[in-house]
Amino acid sequence: LIDANFGNQQLTALLLGDGVTPTGLTDVGTGGSTLAKAVIDIPHEGTGLIHLLARGTAPVQAPDFFASPSTAKLFKDVKAKYDLVLVDATATGHIVGQLAATDAINELVKVGAVSEQTAWMREMLADPAVTGAAIVATPEEMPGNETLELADRLATETTVDRSWSCRAGCSV
């Protein structure tokens, strides 16, 4: 489970408690830690363990961080180590642009390392066997409408498949 919502670490706070800022994603991505040291094992009654990679403490700008070669390597390492990876991302108003960014970069940069990075990300995001959006909303009118809009935008503006949607509190 990766807490990649840089503006809001409610997931980490829910699992570890308020005020806890562990080493995490940004520290590994910038070379300040290893994946093995940054992943926190949290006991969970139904599943045994939840492996959490929190946001981290290294100061980064999200667009630069997610476009970096070290972050691409980090996600390849995570993919190789774990069978299922869930990434808590930004709110509905931002996620479509972030998911579509690789396509925009690919249009601008046709050769070199950046082109190779975006090709790998585009391939990964477009493969429904590898990537799917799980949309969760609270059972209220506005969040419900935003969820429907997000589902439509994911279908028309990105190559990411919608795996499932539910209201908060549902079981999967």
Side-chain angles (χ1 to χ4, degrees), residues 35-50:
L35 183 60
K37 289 180 182 176
V39 171
I40 300 167
D41 293 334
I42 303 168
H44 184 266
E45 192 171 307
T47 60
L49 285 177
I50 295 174

Side-chain angles (χ1 to χ4, degrees), residues 136 164-172:
V136 180
W164 52 266
S165 301
C166 72
R167 63 175 173 77
C170 71
S171 60
V172 178

Side-chain angles (χ1 to χ4, degrees), residues 71-169:
T71 301
K73 181 186 179 317
L74 166 61
F75 278 101
K76 284 181 182 179
D77 292 347
V78 167
K79 180 183 170 192
K81 183 171 174 75
Y82 297 100
D83 295 330
L84 175 66
V85 178
L86 300 174
V87 179
D88 182 33
T90 60
T92 58
H94 303 286
I95 192 64
V96 172
Q98 292 171 346
L99 291 171
T102 56
D103 293 326
I105 293 168
N106 188 58
E107 288 295 317
L108 295 171
V109 181
K110 299 290 186 187
V111 296
V114 172
S115 177
E116 292 169 14
Q117 290 269 291
T118 58
W120 173 78
M121 288 293 282
R122 290 176 71 225
E123 186 177 301
M124 184 180 68
L125 290 171
D127 184 351
V130 175
T131 304
I135 307 169
V136 180
T138 57
E140 301 166 38
E141 184 177 1
M142 183 182 282
N145 290 337
E146 288 175 355
T147 299
L148 293 172
E149 180 183 330
L150 175 60
D152 288 342
R153 289 189 64 205
L154 283 172
T156 59
E157 298 175 37
T158 76
T159 58
V160 176
D161 184 52
R162 187 181 82 213
S163 298
W164 52 266
S165 301
C166 72
R167 63 175 173 77

